[in-house]
Amino acid sequence: MSEKQLWCAVIQQAVIDATEPLSTKFKWRRIEQLNARDWLTKPNKDFTVVCNLAGLEPMRLRSYAADLVAKAAQHDQPLTTDAPRRRRTSRNTECQSAA
């Protein structure tokens, strides 16, 4: 994989993260998705650098991504916070009984 392909893959993953339905169960995932949307649609130096490394025109890509994000945002659902959390329990009883 060339360096150019690597940076194209970074952009591709950001577009995937930004345009798939927002997570309704995991706050950390939803935050990642919203960060991807911001990175693609709001002016920032990192985006410009990555686009240049990928051989892509930043303004053109941002315009294209903004359209995709706007369409995806129409289907956003609220975060569900009432899901019960399970406690982690130790399942390694073999080691505990040997101690």
Side-chain angles (χ1 to χ4, degrees), residues 19-93:
T19 57
E20 65 184 8
L22 287 181
S23 176
T24 58
K25 294 182 181 179
F26 301 106
K27 186 176 180 179
W28 63 268
R29 177 67 182 135
R30 189 178 184 98
I31 290 169
E32 286 180 352
Q33 292 172 292
L34 292 170
N35 285 341
R37 288 182 179 185
D38 286 347
W39 186 74
L40 288 166
T41 60
K42 295 180 180 176
N44 65 81
K45 195 173 188 175
D46 291 339
F47 178 81
T48 302
V49 170
V50 170
C51 286
N52 289 332
L53 290 168
L56 301 171
E57 169 56 44
M59 295 292 280
R60 187 172 177 195
L61 180 59
R62 178 167 283 122
S63 176
Y64 176 72
D67 289 341
L68 293 176
V69 168
K71 288 177 187 172
Q74 293 175 354
H75 305 287
D76 288 348
Q77 298 294 317
L79 183 64
T80 306
T81 57
D82 58 351
R85 291 183 166 228
R86 295 189 325 182
R87 273 193 203 194
R88 284 190 171 185
T89 58
S90 176
R91 294 179 188 239
N92 194 349
T93 55

Side-chain angles (χ1 to χ4, degrees), residues 1-13 50 53-56:
M1 175 181 276
S2 71
E3 184 176 343
K4 187 175 179 178
Q5 290 172 318
L6 172 69
W7 292 112
C8 283
V10 168
I11 293 168
Q12 181 180 17
Q13 188 61 54
V50 170
L53 290 168
L56 301 171

